[in-house]
Every structure is written in structure tokens, then in C-alpha cells.
Amino acid sequence: MRYRTIGTDPRTRREVSVLSLGAMLFGTKTDEATSYAILDRFVEAGGTFIDTSNNYAFWMTGGQGGDSEELLGRWRRSRGVGDEIVIATKLGARPLAPGTSYVGNREGLSAKVIRESAERSRERLGVARLDLLYAHIEDHRVPVQETVAGFAELVAEGTVGLLGVSNHRAWRVERARAVAAAAGLPGYEVLQYHRSYLPCRLDGPTDLDPDGNVGAVGGDLMSYLRAEPELTLVSYATLLRGAYTHPDKPLGPEYDLPSAPVRLAALREVAKQTGATVNQVVLAWLIGGEVPTIPLVGASSVAQLNESIGAVDLALTPEQRHRLDTAW
């Protein structure tokens, strides 16, 4: 396994594996025994970065979520896991009532919600401090100053370490960071968005926002990350939920762009040259890119996880990377 440092403050920064394990369906679709086996294998391989959320996976149970955090808490206790494993969680998109969606009915990012939801996440995970806490989705109802102050209070108290943000427009991220900096408060340092080798359309409505796909990395966000190299990008849905390799899981309309066939051909060409799988090439391309990305990988079996782990040591040549980068 390889590692990188996230965060800049010596008091909160952490060294994490360059591959992150997504625990979204652990405890619901993925049963406890299988979840434990995947987690154990990840740690055995040197993985130290696990991702969850306080609303995972409400859509599987008709509840409000928390199943993934609870399973991770049980796993931590059963294995004697301490702070050597960094667990990131999120708040803000938990449905307000069981059996409902977060669309138009979510907890949001008020100072009260931030404090109460973070406390419940700590209890479910069984930790004294949340290593990394994300603002999951935008909240247009709460002033950014309140959200910034709410997160900063928890950092000052020592119950939260690093702060992150997910599925926010780049200008909202910058505004929140500017507000924090002006007040001498900690700001967002880790950004989590959808990014893969195939670009995604940004102009279609989504559950997060009817005006466009704010959850996917676009040109504005990439430019922002190039200008702010101290920020860390974590990418979800990197393997397009199996669509790269499984014909029964076709690419959705959000990937119906003229560049898609050209990039898929380049991807397969490089996979053939390296002897790696297409999925492994995608992960290696993200890890070693101009804007280094920590891929967040899901797994429903140890075999799936092993394939992703194999990408960590895949070294693409400059020529292969150039082939991938220029396939448009």
C-alpha cells in the first residue's frame, strides 16, 4: 500500500492510504460477515482510510440511515481497531423521518444539526473524535457563516479532526473556506465528488439539484484544485458501479458524450499493454494524475476488493498516461 497526507494543520492532518474503502452498503445490502471480511482484508493490505455517512443506507431499509456507521462501530470493537484507521463520515443529507427521502426533507447544515448529528455519529462509530467530517450536500437555507462556525466549534473541542465537503459547487466551497479563513477558523480541506476516467455530463438534473450535476467533477472544480494544491480530492463511483467491465450494467445517459467511445478504446488499449484490468487502469490513472485523487472503492466481496488493491502498485508509463489524457 502507498500513503499520502491529508490536511495541513499538524494537530489534525492524517496519513491515509491512497485507496479508500467505501462502506456505504455495509450492514444493509452487504451482510455483516461479508462486510467484516472485506474490512479485514483492506486493513491486512495496509488500507487505513474508510468512508461512510450518517444516512447510509436509508434507501435500503426505509429508515434514516446509520446502519453503516453502526456496523463499523461493531467491527472496530471486535477487532480492537484504534485511531490507526481513519474513518470519514458525513452529515447534512439524513432524511428527517423514516421512509422518506432527503430531497426537500433533509437535516441540513445548521449549527444545531452539525453538533447533534456529529455526536450521534461518534456514538455509532464508537470513537471519541471523528477523523474527517464532511458537509454532505448543499444547504441553501442556512447562512454559510453558521455552518462554518458550527464545524469549527467541534474542531476546537477536539471531537472532530479534519473538515471536508461533498457535492457543493466550487464557488460555494471557496466562499465557505474564505469565511473560515477571515475568521481564523478551520475550513474544508478534503473534497469528495464523483470522478472517473469517463467524464460525466454536468447539465442534467439530479436528486441533489435540478439545475445540474453538482456532485460530479467539472472544469471549474479541477481548475480550483490545481490552484489550491493543499486540498485533497476523494472520488466516489470511480468504477461506475461496474459499468466498465459488466455488459449488464450499461453506462447511463450522463456518460453519453462524444468522447466516451474514444476514451473507452484508450482505456482498453492501456489495460492490454499493462496486463491489468480496465478497473485497475482507471484507479491508477486517478491516483497518479495531475490532480492526485484518492479513489473511493466499494466492494461486495473480497475478490472485488483485491482487484482494486492491485491498482495501487500499477505504474503507468508517461506514454500510457499521455494516451489516456489526450483521448478526446
PDB file of all heavy atoms in Angstrom, residues 59-75:
ATOM      1  N   TRP A  59     -32.035   4.162   1.998  1.00  0.00           N
ATOM      2  CA  TRP A  59     -32.875   3.708   0.895  1.00  0.00           C
ATOM      3  C   TRP A  59     -32.989   2.181   0.849  1.00  0.00           C
ATOM      4  O   TRP A  59     -33.876   1.642   0.191  1.00  0.00           O
ATOM      5  CB  TRP A  59     -32.339   4.228  -0.429  1.00  0.00           C
ATOM      6  CG  TRP A  59     -30.905   3.843  -0.703  1.00  0.00           C
ATOM      7  CD1 TRP A  59     -30.462   2.766  -1.416  1.00  0.00           C
ATOM      8  CD2 TRP A  59     -29.742   4.536  -0.260  1.00  0.00           C
ATOM      9  NE1 TRP A  59     -29.086   2.734  -1.437  1.00  0.00           N
ATOM     10  CE2 TRP A  59     -28.619   3.817  -0.743  1.00  0.00           C
ATOM     11  CE3 TRP A  59     -29.529   5.699   0.495  1.00  0.00           C
ATOM     12  CZ2 TRP A  59     -27.298   4.221  -0.486  1.00  0.00           C
ATOM     13  CZ3 TRP A  59     -28.222   6.095   0.747  1.00  0.00           C
ATOM     14  CH2 TRP A  59     -27.131   5.362   0.252  1.00  0.00           C
ATOM     15  N   MET A  60     -32.087   1.487   1.544  1.00  0.00           N
ATOM     16  CA  MET A  60     -32.137   0.031   1.575  1.00  0.00           C
ATOM     17  C   MET A  60     -33.113  -0.491   2.629  1.00  0.00           C
ATOM     18  O   MET A  60     -33.617  -1.607   2.511  1.00  0.00           O
ATOM     19  CB  MET A  60     -30.740  -0.536   1.871  1.00  0.00           C
ATOM     20  CG  MET A  60     -29.685  -0.204   0.844  1.00  0.00           C
ATOM     21  SD  MET A  60     -30.037  -0.895  -0.790  1.00  0.00           S
ATOM     22  CE  MET A  60     -30.101  -2.645  -0.428  1.00  0.00           C
ATOM     23  N   THR A  61     -33.367   0.300   3.651  1.00  0.00           N
ATOM     24  CA  THR A  61     -34.161  -0.183   4.784  1.00  0.00           C
ATOM     25  C   THR A  61     -35.455   0.585   5.007  1.00  0.00           C
ATOM     26  O   THR A  61     -36.292   0.142   5.803  1.00  0.00           O
ATOM     27  CB  THR A  61     -33.334  -0.079   6.074  1.00  0.00           C
ATOM     28  OG1 THR A  61     -33.048   1.314   6.337  1.00  0.00           O
ATOM     29  CG2 THR A  61     -32.023  -0.850   5.957  1.00  0.00           C
ATOM     30  N   GLY A  62     -35.600   1.724   4.345  1.00  0.00           N
ATOM     31  CA  GLY A  62     -36.754   2.567   4.623  1.00  0.00           C
ATOM     32  C   GLY A  62     -36.620   3.334   5.922  1.00  0.00           C
ATOM     33  O   GLY A  62     -37.594   3.874   6.438  1.00  0.00           O
ATOM     34  N   GLY A  63     -35.386   3.406   6.431  1.00  0.00           N
ATOM     35  CA  GLY A  63     -35.150   4.139   7.673  1.00  0.00           C
ATOM     36  C   GLY A  63     -34.512   5.483   7.406  1.00  0.00           C
ATOM     37  O   GLY A  63     -34.809   6.134   6.399  1.00  0.00           O
ATOM     38  N   GLN A  64     -33.614   5.886   8.305  1.00  0.00           N
ATOM     39  CA  GLN A  64     -32.923   7.167   8.145  1.00  0.00           C
ATOM     40  C   GLN A  64     -31.414   6.996   7.955  1.00  0.00           C
ATOM     41  O   GLN A  64     -30.703   7.978   7.812  1.00  0.00           O
ATOM     42  CB  GLN A  64     -33.168   8.045   9.385  1.00  0.00           C
ATOM     43  CG  GLN A  64     -34.596   8.514   9.541  1.00  0.00           C
ATOM     44  CD  GLN A  64     -34.817   9.207  10.865  1.00  0.00           C
ATOM     45  OE1 GLN A  64     -35.095   8.566  11.876  1.00  0.00           O
ATOM     46  NE2 GLN A  64     -34.683  10.521  10.873  1.00  0.00           N
ATOM     47  N   GLY A  65     -30.957   5.752   7.947  1.00  0.00           N
ATOM     48  CA  GLY A  65     -29.530   5.509   7.820  1.00  0.00           C
ATOM     49  C   GLY A  65     -28.896   5.229   9.164  1.00  0.00           C
ATOM     50  O   GLY A  65     -29.574   5.019  10.171  1.00  0.00           O
ATOM     51  N   GLY A  66     -27.569   5.212   9.165  1.00  0.00           N
ATOM     52  CA  GLY A  66     -26.819   4.906  10.374  1.00  0.00           C
ATOM     53  C   GLY A  66     -26.366   3.462  10.435  1.00  0.00           C
ATOM     54  O   GLY A  66     -25.525   3.101  11.263  1.00  0.00           O
ATOM     55  N   ASP A  67     -26.876   2.601   9.530  1.00  0.00           N
ATOM     56  CA  ASP A  67     -26.536   1.179   9.555  1.00  0.00           C
ATOM     57  C   ASP A  67     -25.046   0.964   9.303  1.00  0.00           C
ATOM     58  O   ASP A  67     -24.409   0.124   9.941  1.00  0.00           O
ATOM     59  CB  ASP A  67     -27.346   0.428   8.493  1.00  0.00           C
ATOM     60  CG  ASP A  67     -28.825   0.718   8.578  1.00  0.00           C
ATOM     61  OD1 ASP A  67     -29.259   1.720   7.973  1.00  0.00           O
ATOM     62  OD2 ASP A  67     -29.536  -0.040   9.248  1.00  0.00           O
ATOM     63  N   SER A  68     -24.488   1.707   8.354  1.00  0.00           N
ATOM     64  CA  SER A  68     -23.072   1.551   8.023  1.00  0.00           C
ATOM     65  C   SER A  68     -22.189   1.975   9.191  1.00  0.00           C
ATOM     66  O   SER A  68     -21.234   1.277   9.554  1.00  0.00           O
ATOM     67  CB  SER A  68     -22.727   2.375   6.783  1.00  0.00           C
ATOM     68  OG  SER A  68     -21.338   2.385   6.536  1.00  0.00           O
ATOM     69  N   GLU A  69     -22.502   3.118   9.791  1.00  0.00           N
ATOM     70  CA  GLU A  69     -21.726   3.574  10.952  1.00  0.00           C
ATOM     71  C   GLU A  69     -21.810   2.561  12.087  1.00  0.00           C
ATOM     72  O   GLU A  69     -20.807   2.270  12.759  1.00  0.00           O
ATOM     73  CB  GLU A  69     -22.227   4.939  11.430  1.00  0.00           C
ATOM     74  CG  GLU A  69     -21.894   6.088  10.489  1.00  0.00           C
ATOM     75  CD  GLU A  69     -22.371   7.422  11.030  1.00  0.00           C
ATOM     76  OE1 GLU A  69     -23.382   7.449  11.775  1.00  0.00           O
ATOM     77  OE2 GLU A  69     -21.745   8.447  10.713  1.00  0.00           O
ATOM     78  N   GLU A  70     -22.998   2.024  12.321  1.00  0.00           N
ATOM     79  CA  GLU A  70     -23.156   1.056  13.408  1.00  0.00           C
ATOM     80  C   GLU A  70     -22.330  -0.201  13.152  1.00  0.00           C
ATOM     81  O   GLU A  70     -21.692  -0.739  14.066  1.00  0.00           O
ATOM     82  CB  GLU A  70     -24.633   0.704  13.573  1.00  0.00           C
ATOM     83  CG  GLU A  70     -25.452   1.851  14.169  1.00  0.00           C
ATOM     84  CD  GLU A  70     -26.936   1.566  14.135  1.00  0.00           C
ATOM     85  OE1 GLU A  70     -27.345   0.520  13.572  1.00  0.00           O
ATOM     86  OE2 GLU A  70     -27.695   2.404  14.663  1.00  0.00           O
ATOM     87  N   LEU A  71     -22.333  -0.689  11.908  1.00  0.00           N
ATOM     88  CA  LEU A  71     -21.527  -1.865  11.597  1.00  0.00           C
ATOM     89  C   LEU A  71     -20.044  -1.580  11.792  1.00  0.00           C
ATOM     90  O   LEU A  71     -19.308  -2.398  12.369  1.00  0.00           O
ATOM     91  CB  LEU A  71     -21.788  -2.341  10.166  1.00  0.00           C
ATOM     92  CG  LEU A  71     -21.007  -3.599   9.788  1.00  0.00           C
ATOM     93  CD1 LEU A  71     -21.854  -4.570   9.000  1.00  0.00           C
ATOM     94  CD2 LEU A  71     -19.718  -3.277   9.030  1.00  0.00           C
ATOM     95  N   LEU A  72     -19.591  -0.417  11.329  1.00  0.00           N
ATOM     96  CA  LEU A  72     -18.180  -0.067  11.509  1.00  0.00           C
ATOM     97  C   LEU A  72     -17.826   0.011  12.997  1.00  0.00           C
ATOM     98  O   LEU A  72     -16.725  -0.382  13.404  1.00  0.00           O
ATOM     99  CB  LEU A  72     -17.873   1.256  10.814  1.00  0.00           C
ATOM    100  CG  LEU A  72     -17.842   1.201   9.288  1.00  0.00           C
ATOM    101  CD1 LEU A  72     -17.733   2.615   8.707  1.00  0.00           C
ATOM    102  CD2 LEU A  72     -16.692   0.338   8.785  1.00  0.00           C
ATOM    103  N   GLY A  73     -18.748   0.495  13.801  1.00  0.00           N
ATOM    104  CA  GLY A  73     -18.510   0.534  15.249  1.00  0.00           C
ATOM    105  C   GLY A  73     -18.351  -0.859  15.828  1.00  0.00           C
ATOM    106  O   GLY A  73     -17.452  -1.110  16.646  1.00  0.00           O
ATOM    107  N   ARG A  74     -19.227  -1.779  15.412  1.00  0.00           N
ATOM    108  CA  ARG A  74     -19.116  -3.156  15.894  1.00  0.00           C
ATOM    109  C   ARG A  74     -17.822  -3.802  15.428  1.00  0.00           C
ATOM    110  O   ARG A  74     -17.157  -4.522  16.190  1.00  0.00           O
ATOM    111  CB  ARG A  74     -20.331  -3.975  15.424  1.00  0.00           C
ATOM    112  CG  ARG A  74     -21.652  -3.532  16.026  1.00  0.00           C
ATOM    113  CD  ARG A  74     -22.746  -4.546  15.767  1.00  0.00           C
ATOM    114  NE  ARG A  74     -23.060  -4.737  14.344  1.00  0.00           N
ATOM    115  CZ  ARG A  74     -23.924  -3.998  13.664  1.00  0.00           C
ATOM    116  NH1 ARG A  74     -24.558  -2.985  14.267  1.00  0.00           N
ATOM    117  NH2 ARG A  74     -24.183  -4.241  12.403  1.00  0.00           N
ATOM    118  N   TRP A  75     -17.471  -3.558  14.166  1.00  0.00           N
ATOM    119  CA  TRP A  75     -16.223  -4.116  13.626  1.00  0.00           C
ATOM    120  C   TRP A  75     -15.022  -3.566  14.376  1.00  0.00           C
ATOM    121  O   TRP A  75     -14.114  -4.326  14.727  1.00  0.00           O
ATOM    122  CB  TRP A  75     -16.119  -3.797  12.145  1.00  0.00           C
ATOM    123  CG  TRP A  75     -14.787  -4.129  11.531  1.00  0.00           C
ATOM    124  CD1 TRP A  75     -14.321  -5.377  11.209  1.00  0.00           C
ATOM    125  CD2 TRP A  75     -13.746  -3.210  11.177  1.00  0.00           C
ATOM    126  NE1 TRP A  75     -13.052  -5.286  10.670  1.00  0.00           N
ATOM    127  CE2 TRP A  75     -12.677  -3.968  10.647  1.00  0.00           C
ATOM    128  CE3 TRP A  75     -13.624  -1.820  11.260  1.00  0.00           C
ATOM    129  CZ2 TRP A  75     -11.499  -3.377  10.197  1.00  0.00           C
ATOM    130  CZ3 TRP A  75     -12.455  -1.234  10.817  1.00  0.00           C
ATOM    131  CH2 TRP A  75     -11.406  -2.004  10.295  1.00  0.00           C
TER     132      TRP A  75
END
